[in-house]
Amino acid sequence: MLALAAICLCQVMAVAQPPQPQLRMRWQDFVKGPDGAKRLASLQKAVAKMKSLDSSPTNSVDYRRSWQFWANIHGYYGRTSVDGTVEDQISYLQSIGLGQYVKYYNGIKDQPAPDAIAQSIWATCEHSYTDQQGNLHQANFFGWHRMYLYYFERVLRWAAQDDTLRLPYWDYTDPKQEILPVEFRKTSSPIYDAKRNPQVNNGSAALNPSSTNIDDFLSNTDYLPAELSVEEGVHGYVHCTVGPTCPVAHMGDVPVAGNDPVFYSHHANIDRLWACWQKIHGTKPTGAPWEEQKFSFVDETGTLQTRPVKDFLDSATLGYVYDNVSDCARKPAVVAAAPVARLAAAGPSEESKPVTLGAVGSVAITSPTTAVDLTVPHQAMVNALAAPRAAGSMELVLHDVGADTPPGTLFNVYLAVKGDPAKRQQIGTISWFGAFNNHHAGHGVVQKRTYTFNVTDALRALGSDADTAGVQVVLEASNGLVPTKRPGLAAQAQQTQQAFRPEANMRIGSIELRAVPASGANP
Ligand SMILES: [Cu+2]
């Protein structure tokens, strides 16, 4: 009896044994050397195998291991889908003057969810949106996508017959890695996808390092705002630039984004950024409602798995760790900075609250370039710039950036010296991944987002010109990319000007420049 109990316990333990953690590596290391060639071959084999299962009978376990099935978990077009049909999407693009992108839907078909499992887990990705009343619905973005990648990776290992295989990540937060890795661009590879921005796919343009800096996110102590800043910031930016634009297939359009193999290395990097943040701010459950939320996926045997996000907080228990989670910032000092003094702009009796230095009311974005003067009292600017860095930061907030329909381009946001627009610093990017989709809000629902950019370094770089002449906020339409060869610049600027849609009625509720004392700066 005792022996039997011991055997049973043994078996239970064997089943519950977590997989040995292995490294999820940065792409350039993953492919390096003879071992790298083996790792890449294993990944390519897995993707090819999953794609070969797309034609399996839709009631089979193999279908649940297919590429299509896994892309469909993120989103899909079809009559049973919250995303609507391919026809809906095409007529939407045509109706708003984006008909030139319809060709990216060639070969994309409506799919019926074949059974109850597919019906319950397809098109369940979590992305934030604003509803008809203008309220923000923040998604369980990090949690859902970590679970998605975890189960996807189990299927990859099964498909490669390789227990050591872990997803590599594309680390575009590193300014030296802004070009899409060449392995994704070889047309004969299973990880190639033709439905990308052609300039990204031929290496003639790269991501913009000013759009992929995540230092502010890492130092943000509040989980939900930090998560939202990544979702609507670098995450959406990469989707909208690798895809031809937003909302266009594959990467730029939520319902089909998971079809591009680079999706998974993009999201592995996003997942790593969460792990980087957790390394600083903790992995322990806090009892927050988002941790209790449960999501469903299937595992490599096609069995439905439903678990709460709190089981996924520590990646080591899931069988992977990232090769770099402790040195993720470009400027580690910014994250580590200990608050030592009050920000000079704040009065001695003030609480640790932001102080508005200058603000502008509603701004309509009716042309590809819009410049807005921001009037800041001279002494306030001088004080803020003179304050020690550790005392706090200066933020530019674009409140309620809204549009009725997709504006057709991204927008680079700059701070410039008033009267001298050549003296400028890019402080961020506005993109619209996940907005205007039927999935979450609906094609007709006006989207609004509030962007907060740390502009301390930008203002210091503009230097005394900024405090004598004053500053301007400049929004410039862009496809988000930087040509890798100079002659590309002029052509790109012209294309972008043409792509901008004034009829999208894009506008900004208000613009605010404020001084934010470091948390803990007050006694
Ligand atoms: Cu995504």
Side-chain angles (χ1 to χ4, degrees):
M1 191 63 183
L2 203 65
L4 193 65
I7 289 167
C8 290
L9 190 64
C10 241
Q11 283 175 339
V12 168
M13 284 179 69
V15 171
Q17 200 62 243
Q20 197 58 32
Q22 305 267 349
L23 284 187
R24 280 192 185 170
M25 305 168 79
R26 52 173 77 100
W27 185 269
Q28 63 268 34
D29 292 338
F30 181 82
V31 298
K32 203 191 285 174
D35 287 347
K38 280 186 214 149
R39 286 188 290 261
L40 178 63
S42 187
L43 176 67
Q44 288 176 324
K45 177 184 166 185
V47 173
K49 172 74 180 176
M50 288 178 73
K51 287 184 172 178
S52 77
L53 298 177
D54 287 353
S55 51
S56 310
T58 55
N59 61 358
S60 66
V61 169
D62 270 348
Y63 187 61
R64 293 185 194 150
R65 297 158 167 164
S66 71
W67 191 256
Q68 191 64 72
F69 189 94
W70 277 87
N72 290 355
I73 292 176
H74 193 262
Y76 75 106
Y77 285 117
R79 275 181 298 118
T80 52
S81 176
V82 287
D83 297 325
T85 62
V86 179
E87 203 186 319
D88 290 341
Q89 173 67 3
I90 289 173
S91 49
Y92 179 64
L93 290 175
Q94 280 164 338
S95 74
I96 59 172
L98 295 178
Q100 74 269 32
Y101 294 112
V102 166
K103 63 180 181 200
Y104 285 94
Y105 290 83
N106 285 344
I108 297 179
K109 293 194 181 70
D110 282 347
Q111 292 169 68
D115 53 27
I117 285 187
Q119 268 157 35
S120 67
I121 68 174
W122 280 12
T124 54
C125 69
E126 286 273 319
H127 293 100
S128 305
Y129 66 96
T130 40
D131 65 19
Q132 224 125 18
Q133 285 71 44
N135 302 312
L136 171 71
H137 292 252
Q138 181 160 353
N140 205 324
F141 171 70
F142 281 148
W144 187 91
H145 285 84
R146 176 168 287 182
M147 291 178 69
Y148 181 46
L149 257 54
Y150 167 75
Y151 287 107
F152 173 80
E153 193 182 65
R154 284 174 58 159
V155 178
L156 270 188
R157 284 195 284 276
W158 169 86
Q161 294 291 297
D162 176 359
D163 282 343
T164 66
L165 180 60
R166 298 292 183 277
L167 275 168
Y169 63 91
W170 174 20
D171 184 14
Y172 40 71
T173 62
D174 175 354
K176 291 198 278 300
Q177 301 298 326
E178 305 295 1
I179 298 179
L180 180 65
V182 65
E183 294 81 6
F184 286 103
R185 298 192 266 119
K186 290 207 173 106
T187 53
S188 58
S189 171
I191 60 171
Y192 175 79
D193 186 351
K195 295 183 196 294
R196 294 181 190 137
N197 184 318
Q199 293 174 279
V200 169
N201 246 356
N202 67 20
S204 66
L207 300 182
N208 182 344
S210 301
S211 306
T212 57
N213 188 337
I214 44 79
D215 287 5
D216 292 340
F217 154 71
L218 292 174
S219 57
N220 192 338
T221 51
D222 291 340
Y223 177 76
L224 290 175
E227 179 193 44
L228 191 66
S229 76
V230 164
E231 184 193 351
E232 294 184 343
V234 69
H235 159 256
Y237 162 77
V238 171
H239 272 287
C240 295
T241 48
V242 173
T245 190
C246 279
V248 177
H250 277 145
M251 278 285 275
D253 192 23
V254 172
V256 288
N259 285 280
D260 185 338
V262 84
F263 175 100
Y264 301 93
S265 283
H266 168 35
H267 267 279
N269 194 38
I270 296 297
D271 187 60
R272 182 185 68 95
L273 297 183
W274 185 19
C276 296
W277 188 90
Q278 289 179 307
K279 182 81 183 166
I280 301 167
H281 305 281
T283 49
K284 295 262 179 299
T286 62
W290 62 266
E291 294 168 352
E292 303 296 329
Q293 219 180 338
K294 289 181 179 166
F295 295 111
S296 298
F297 296 87
V298 289
D299 63 17
E300 70 283 7
T301 68
T303 309
L304 190 68
Q305 299 284 351
T306 301
R307 288 170 67 187
V309 170
K310 68 178 172 200
D311 290 358
F312 290 79
L313 297 181
D314 180 1
S315 82
T317 66
L318 307 171
Y320 70 90
V321 285
Y322 287 100
D323 57 359
N324 174 20
V325 287
S326 26
D327 184 23
C328 308
R330 289 187 192 169
K331 284 191 191 160
V334 172
V335 175
V340 291
R342 259 171 226 286
L343 194 77
S349 62
E350 286 292 317
E351 289 297 309
S352 172
K353 273 189 287 193
V355 178
T356 302
L357 301 179
V360 182
S362 75
V363 176
I365 308 297
T366 52
S367 63
T369 302
T370 304
V372 183
D373 286 353
L374 203 57
T375 305
V376 178
H378 178 68
Q379 197 52 45
M381 181 75 99
V382 171
N383 288 351
L385 285 169
R389 185 176 295 276
S393 54
M394 273 177 290
E395 288 180 349
L396 187 83
V397 189
L398 306 182
H399 293 278
D400 295 330
V401 181
D404 298 347
T405 51
T409 64
L410 290 75
F411 275 84
N412 288 337
V413 185
Y414 301 88
L415 269 184
V417 173
K418 214 182 278 182
D420 191 358
K423 278 195 191 133
R424 64 181 194 178
Q425 293 281 320
Q426 191 181 339
I427 54 172
T429 311
I430 294 170
S431 61
W432 295 97
F433 184 68
F436 316 110
N437 269 114
N438 271 335
H439 191 138
H440 297 293
H443 278 157
V445 179
V446 170
Q447 291 298 295
K448 258 194 233 163
R449 293 175 173 181
T450 289
Y451 288 86
T452 304
F453 304 116
N454 184 332
V455 295
T456 316
D457 289 342
L459 279 171
R460 284 172 202 267
L462 294 177
S464 56
D465 289 343
D467 67 50
T468 48
V471 290
Q472 271 188 334
V473 178
V474 179
L475 269 80
E476 198 172 84
S478 166
N479 67 358
L481 298 167
V482 179
T484 49
K485 296 199 179 75
R486 270 208 77 74
L489 277 169
Q492 175 179 326
Q494 200 191 358
Q495 275 169 15
T496 308
Q497 306 243 322
Q498 288 164 356
F500 169 64
R501 299 179 56 250
E503 60 275 28
N505 191 24
M506 186 168 148
R507 66 267 176 198
I508 303 172
S510 63
I511 300 177
E512 179 193 6
L513 181 69
R514 64 191 188 190
V516 186
S519 54
N522 287 284

